[in-house]
Amino acid sequence: MLPPLRMRGHTKAVQMQYDEHYTPYFRRARMLGFVLQLKRQPPTLVHSALTALIDRWRPVTYSFHLTCGEMTVTLEDFGMITALPIEGHALTGRVERANWLERVIALIGDCPPMKGNRTFGVRLKWLLENWSVCPQDADQRTVEQYARAYLWYLLTEVIFPDCSGDCRLWMYLGFLEDWDAGYSWGSAGLAYLYRSLDDATQRTEDTSGVCGFVWALSIWMWERIPVGRPERVRSRAWTDYGEEGDSARYPTVAYAWDKVKVYTGKATTLYKLFSNELDNLSDFQVNWFPYRDREWGFELNSMCKEDRLAWRCIVPLICVYAVEWHLPQRVATQFGILQHTPPGKPTDTGGSDLHWKSRKNCQSITDWGHEHQEYVKMWDERRYHKDSERRVVHWDTYCERHLKWYDDGVKYHVRLRPQWTEHDIA
């Protein structure tokens, strides 16, 4: 048995100092709520529980296959947890390695000399040493450069982390040239998380890890599934409200898990325990309630629900080279909507060729916007491709018809391993 995966990404406090002079730029990019949430020390990740969940990810259906049915992180979940903008342009376009140092200099004012054949970014150490604190007497142009460096750090540390852990990819800095460009950072972040989960299902090494926005995945798991869920303790006061009524500075759903008490133990033992719990998870143990039906005890950030019209769109999600499908009709119960059996179209989502298309395997491609133009067109026309079901969930139908179809002994293998043996128990 392989050990639990190593979760790479946002697991510590932000190492760069936030400056209120950055606020107007982040507000224009519709990312102020996201940035303020990430200023705080994140809760501890339960690696064993997340690994047990990730083992049940199926790239073909873009969902976790559990005994209670399919579940996944949807655009609604991502918007409510991260406050990232969902509506907007697909995050894709030309990615050329030529003259990348000059482009970095143009956007943040400096760039270390290239060493060896490094063509994909700058080291984290250099970024922290030179861009952590904005000078008090900085002019507007300098403040803007520091704001870009700060957001670039967050994007590559939290949403799009590189598996090496020490490099900030210049590819994402280019999208910060125009603060008013209106990119869909939320759909791109979810696409990257899906792709990271696809890659994690292929693990073969003891040191394998998973990238993507694992902090958001962890919050989603705690909200929805009791397995590995820590005990909540009193939240720290939210100190970023700003001016009265500025809802763009309010916290997200993640604030409900601001401080938690995680139960510790031997990782491999916990992994077996959580695997068994997931293999015996029943539908009544899952939190299916839509976010609109819950009481939070605090005011939510306005960006959490700003783009709600896109939550149930059946569309490809795009992050530069990665294209992953958002299929809310497969998890209709998470929206409190009647689940069709079998789930509706599309049935053709690109196949394995689309799943494994990456920059590493396709280095000759520079214009990913052109390469994925058919999917970009689908994204632009997302309002015409939505799950339009309005009837509320019917639990008798879900349990008696849908779950029988879902686990008929042929279509899905929801159990990954036998129950604990006497040897395991010993």
Side-chain angles (χ1 to χ4, degrees):
M1 181 183 70
L2 290 170
L5 289 160
R6 178 187 174 191
M7 305 297 153
R8 305 174 187 269
H10 183 54
T11 57
K12 55 186 178 297
V14 172
Q15 300 178 58
M16 298 182 76
Q17 184 174 317
Y18 183 84
D19 192 304
E20 279 298 333
H21 290 98
Y22 303 161
T23 300
Y25 300 108
F26 298 156
R27 194 186 297 276
R28 286 167 60 185
R30 302 176 68 211
M31 298 181 73
L32 180 59
F34 161 76
V35 171
L36 294 179
Q37 185 69 46
L38 272 297
K39 284 174 58 182
R40 308 168 72 82
Q41 177 75 36
T44 303
L45 300 177
V46 184
H47 294 244
S48 301
L50 284 169
T51 302
L53 178 68
I54 292 169
D55 283 345
R56 286 148 181 80
W57 177 259
R58 299 295 181 266
V60 175
T61 59
Y62 303 88
S63 61
F64 299 105
H65 283 201
L66 307 169
T67 51
C68 60
E70 291 180 61
M71 300 188 73
T72 197
V73 185
T74 66
L75 286 173
E76 178 183 20
D77 295 305
F78 219 64
M80 296 294 289
I81 292 170
T82 70
L84 285 168
I86 305 299
E87 296 283 9
H89 303 299
L91 195 76
T92 192
R94 296 191 67 85
V95 181
E96 297 183 86
R97 287 178 289 181
N99 303 320
W100 71 270
L101 287 87
E102 288 79 358
R103 293 198 296 274
V104 171
I105 293 172
L107 291 173
I108 66 171
D110 194 11
C111 186
M114 183 173 64
K115 293 184 178 180
N117 61 350
R118 178 186 291 267
T119 60
F120 45 85
V122 303
R123 290 193 178 278
L124 172 61
K125 181 180 179 181
W126 176 87
L127 193 64
L128 293 177
E129 287 177 350
N130 294 276
W131 300 95
S132 290
V133 182
C134 183
Q136 292 185 354
D137 59 348
D139 57 24
Q140 184 175 346
R141 183 170 178 270
T142 302
V143 170
E144 185 174 4
Q145 291 173 340
Y146 271 83
R148 279 201 188 94
Y150 186 95
L151 190 52
W152 183 26
Y153 164 80
L154 275 189
L155 291 174
T156 53
E157 175 75 10
V158 179
I159 309 179
F160 312 112
D162 178 67
C163 285
S164 67
D166 70 340
C167 185
R168 308 298 98 176
L169 299 182
W170 57 262
M171 180 173 66
Y172 299 106
L173 177 61
F175 295 106
L176 301 179
E177 180 177 1
D178 181 2
W179 297 103
D180 302 307
Y183 289 113
S184 174
W185 291 100
S187 67
L190 188 55
Y192 192 81
L193 176 61
Y194 281 4
R195 177 58 61 89
S196 300
L197 294 173
D198 294 345
D199 295 340
T201 61
Q202 309 301 310
R203 68 186 175 119
T204 58
E205 304 293 335
D206 290 351
T207 57
S208 296
V210 59
C211 296
F213 205 161
V214 292
W215 172 76
L217 175 64
S218 179
I219 298 295
W220 176 86
M221 186 179 185
W222 295 344
E223 277 292 327
R224 296 287 188 181
I225 302 171
V227 177
R229 181 183 290 163
E231 177 186 348
R232 290 191 239 201
V233 297
R234 186 179 180 86
S235 298
R236 296 162 293 181
W238 184 264
T239 58
D240 288 302
Y241 285 114
E243 297 179 6
E244 185 177 357
D246 187 0
S247 59
R249 301 182 66 102
Y250 289 0
T252 71
V253 165
Y255 182 55
W257 302 93
D258 184 54
K259 291 190 68 176
V260 297
K261 179 181 179 181
V262 175
Y263 300 99
T264 58
K266 188 177 180 180
T268 52
T269 302
L270 289 174
Y271 173 65
K272 290 181 181 180
L273 172 65
F274 296 141
S275 292
N276 276 320
E277 288 184 14
L278 285 171
D279 281 343
N280 290 280
L281 189 67
S282 59
D283 57 276
F284 67 83
Q285 292 177 288
V286 174
N287 183 2
W288 298 105
F289 293 106
Y291 292 97
R292 64 178 181 271
D293 295 339
R294 305 187 208 176
E295 294 291 336
W296 300 105
F298 53 88
E299 292 291 329
L300 284 174
N301 190 288
S302 58
M303 281 300 300
C304 290
K305 299 180 181 180
E306 178 75 16
D307 298 332
R308 56 188 176 276
L309 295 180
W311 287 350
R312 291 173 61 193
C313 290
I314 304 171
V315 287
L317 309 172
I318 305 168
C319 177
V320 189
Y321 58 85
V323 175
E324 303 283 321
W325 278 81
H326 182 245
L327 304 175
Q329 80 281 11
R330 300 196 71 95
V331 293
T333 45
Q334 290 182 207
F335 296 89
I337 303 300
L338 179 69
Q339 177 67 64
H340 286 264
T341 306
K345 294 181 179 181
T347 54
D348 180 11
T349 54
S352 58
D353 290 342
L354 187 62
H355 276 297
W356 309 126
K357 181 169 287 190
S358 66
R359 293 183 65 210
K360 182 179 179 180
N361 300 327
C362 306
Q363 295 187 22
S364 61
I365 299 175
T366 58
D367 193 343
W368 286 99
H370 181 267
E371 176 70 17
H372 292 316
Q373 59 182 329
E374 62 176 304
Y375 300 110
V376 173
K377 185 174 184 291
M378 292 180 190
W379 171 256
D380 291 339
E381 298 173 347
R382 56 192 174 277
R383 294 291 183 89
Y384 301 104
H385 304 282
K386 299 177 69 172
D387 180 13
S388 58
E389 178 59 67
R390 293 181 178 275
R391 290 172 292 177
V392 298
V393 61
H394 191 282
W395 288 108
D396 289 340
T397 301
Y398 180 80
C399 296
E400 295 174 7
R401 185 176 68 186
H402 187 73
L403 288 185
K404 287 182 180 179
W405 164 84
Y406 167 74
D407 187 18
D408 64 356
V410 178
K411 289 186 181 71
Y412 302 108
H413 302 282
V414 294
R415 293 186 184 275
L416 295 183
R417 61 184 297 279
Q419 298 298 295
W420 276 30
T421 64
E422 293 296 327
H423 177 73
D424 289 330
I425 296 172

